[in-house]
């Protein structure tokens, strides 16, 4: 007799879904969950300890590490290129989406040092990013998954691509965001699920203050923004400020990885324009609106889809086999 999930429904079905996801994604590439089982058996314990220490020191770091993985994979594929140092015309760190924004590089350095002590010259920086992203989600109360591994590190960053609007931005239209996800093989559901990563973390005033008085200089706030938030946000982001103050992306659930981000979108409390348009824009009515509503009502569905999507994202053009290298220092090639 076919066994049903109904007896523990949500959790049982979620576990089965994750198992199926792992088989499906692994079959599309050369990455595997047990890649370091023999060569670095304590890898996960070492990385988890370092991520735990970093988040204990600064809770915001969970969102920062997750974002680094995202920004790495969208440029050049998941090859650790975002970690490479360089100058203002070569390093991805100086590209507009990352400059004074991407953070957590020193935590990756600490993880890499600890991993090198455990098993020198074995684990790539790109794989460390993927594991650190998973641990950041788990330690914030979100779902877990078996990370697909076996990536190698790229030899060079791609400043041009990172600076050429391939990364979704806070001022993009919904059509632009959909197109950018599609360009790396991620569909509409992936886009909404991965946007849910904004359930943790903070954003600088510079990327949302336009919503407090719109581009037409009318003095009118963005009509899709809950008006009750405006006085507080204007205090946080004064018009004569430098734009570096921060506000939580997921109001009232800042550090917990849950589906509250989507609940906020339903009442106009998405902080970024690029978040709120998933529900409130005209373009959303026939595309993302329904997905947002589903996730707001069903955290298990959000978790399952998020795992599916981040595994797909982690499989964007990885370097494997004899391609690339295993960096000893994540900031420089060997």
């Amino acid at each position: 007799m076919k066994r049903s999930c109904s007896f523990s429904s949500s959790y049982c079905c979620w576990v089965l879904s994750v198992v199926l996801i792992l088989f499906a994604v692994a079959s599309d590439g050369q990455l595997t969950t047990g890649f370091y089982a023999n060569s670095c058996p304590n890898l996960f314990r070492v990385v988890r300890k370092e991520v735990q220490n970093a988040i204990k020191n600064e809770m915001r770091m969970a969102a920062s590490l997750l974002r680094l993985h995202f920004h790495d994979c969208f440029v050049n594929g998941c090859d650790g290129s975002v970690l490479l140092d360089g100058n203002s015309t070569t390093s991805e760190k100086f590209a507009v989406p990352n400059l004074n924004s991407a953070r957590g590089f020193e935590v990756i350095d600490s993880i890499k040092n600890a991993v090198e002590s455990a098993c020198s010259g074995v684990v790539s920086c790109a794989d460390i990013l993927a594991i650190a992203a998973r641990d950041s989600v788990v330690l914030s109360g979100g779902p877990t998954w078996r990370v697909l591994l076996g990536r190698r590190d790229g030899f060079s960053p791609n400043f041009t691509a990172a600076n050429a609007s391939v990364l979704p931005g806070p001022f993009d239209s919904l059509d632009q965001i959909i197109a950018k996800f599609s360009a790396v093989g991620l569909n509409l559901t992936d886009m909404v699920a991965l946007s849910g990563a904004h359930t943790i973390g903070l954003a600088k005033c510079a990327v949302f203050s336009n919503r407090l008085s719109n581009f037409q200089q009318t003095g009118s706030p963005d009509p899709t923004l809950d008006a009750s938030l405006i006085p507080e946000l204007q205090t946080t982001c004064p018009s004569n400020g430098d734009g570096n103050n921060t506000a939580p992306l997921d109001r009232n659930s800042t550090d917990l990885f849950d589906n509250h981000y989507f609940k906020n979108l339903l009442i106009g409390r998405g902080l970024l324009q690029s978040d709120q348009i998933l529900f409130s824009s005209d373009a959303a009515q026939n595309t993302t609106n329904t997905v947002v509503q589903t996730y707001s009502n069903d955290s298990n569905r959000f978790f399952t889809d998020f795992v599916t999507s981040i595994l797909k994202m982690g499989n964007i053009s990885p370097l494997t086999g004899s391609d690339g290298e295993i960096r000893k220092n994540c900031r420089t090639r060997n």
Side-chain angles (χ1 to χ4, degrees), residues 67 81 84-85 87 107 109 122 138 140 153 169 179 181 196 216 247 249 264 273 278-279 310 316:
R67 186 166 181 254
S81 60
L84 288 166
D85 284 341
N87 60 43
V107 175
D109 291 340
V122 172
V138 173
S140 300
D153 298 319
F181 274 80
Q216 285 73 39
L249 285 162
N264 271 341
Q273 170 185 304
L278 296 176
F279 180 75
I310 200 165
I316 297 174

Side-chain angles (χ1 to χ4, degrees), residues 12-263:
C12 177
C13 289
W14 180 81
V15 170
L16 288 177
S17 296
V18 171
V19 171
L20 292 173
I21 290 162
L22 286 167
F23 279 115
V25 177
S27 66
D28 287 338
Q30 301 175 42
L31 306 182
T32 64
T33 58
F35 190 82
Y36 298 107
N38 296 319
S39 59
C40 194
N42 293 322
L43 172 62
F44 295 113
R45 187 179 307 141
V46 171
V47 176
R48 177 66 63 91
K49 180 181 178 181
E50 294 299 321
V51 174
Q52 200 162 20
N53 288 340
I55 293 175
K56 183 178 180 180
N57 183 58
E58 182 191 10
M59 194 66 197
R60 180 188 178 191
M61 190 54 65
S64 298
L65 294 174
L66 180 55
R67 186 166 181 254
L68 274 184
H69 182 42
F70 182 94
H71 279 223
D72 181 43
C73 290
F74 262 67
V75 179
N76 268 18
C78 308
D79 66 345
S81 60
V82 73
L83 303 174
L84 288 166
D85 284 341
N87 60 43
S88 60
T89 61
T90 59
S91 174
E92 292 174 28
K93 295 178 181 180
F94 289 93
V96 171
N98 295 325
L99 184 62
N100 299 319
S101 175
R103 57 197 303 276
F105 298 108
E106 71 288 347
V107 175
I108 298 300
D109 291 340
S110 296
I111 298 172
K112 180 61 172 174
N113 289 337
V115 169
E116 285 294 303
S117 295
C119 40
S120 181
V122 172
V123 182
S124 69
C125 298
D127 277 347
I128 285 174
L129 275 179
I131 300 169
R134 188 275 308 274
D135 288 352
S136 294
V137 171
V138 173
L139 292 170
S140 300
T144 190
W145 60 92
R146 297 186 68 192
V147 184
L148 293 165
L149 301 168
R151 303 169 189 82
R152 290 169 65 84
D153 298 319
F155 290 121
S156 59
N158 192 337
F159 171 83
T160 302
N163 209 40
S165 300
V166 299
L167 285 159
F171 309 118
D172 286 346
S173 69
L174 184 57
D175 287 343
Q176 288 173 318
I177 297 172
I178 291 172
K180 290 178 181 181
F181 274 80
S182 179
V184 292
L186 298 174
N187 62 31
L188 191 123
T189 300
D190 298 324
M191 184 194 75
V192 180
L194 290 172
S195 295
H198 284 177
T199 184
I200 55 176
L202 307 173
K204 290 185 177 182
C205 294
V207 298
F208 66 85
S209 58
N210 63 294
R211 302 187 70 203
L212 305 181
S213 57
N214 67 26
F215 287 120
Q216 285 73 39
Q217 302 297 315
T218 63
S220 300
D222 183 331
T224 65
L225 178 65
D226 179 3
S228 69
L229 300 182
I230 294 171
E232 180 183 335
L233 291 175
Q234 286 178 326
T235 299
T236 302
C237 306
S239 58
N240 60 349
D242 63 6
N244 286 317
N245 289 347
T246 59
L249 285 162
D250 186 6
R251 194 176 191 81
N252 298 326
S253 184
T254 307
D255 298 322
L256 183 62
F257 196 101
D258 57 15
N259 68 332
H260 191 266
Y261 161 86
F262 297 103
K263 295 179 184 293

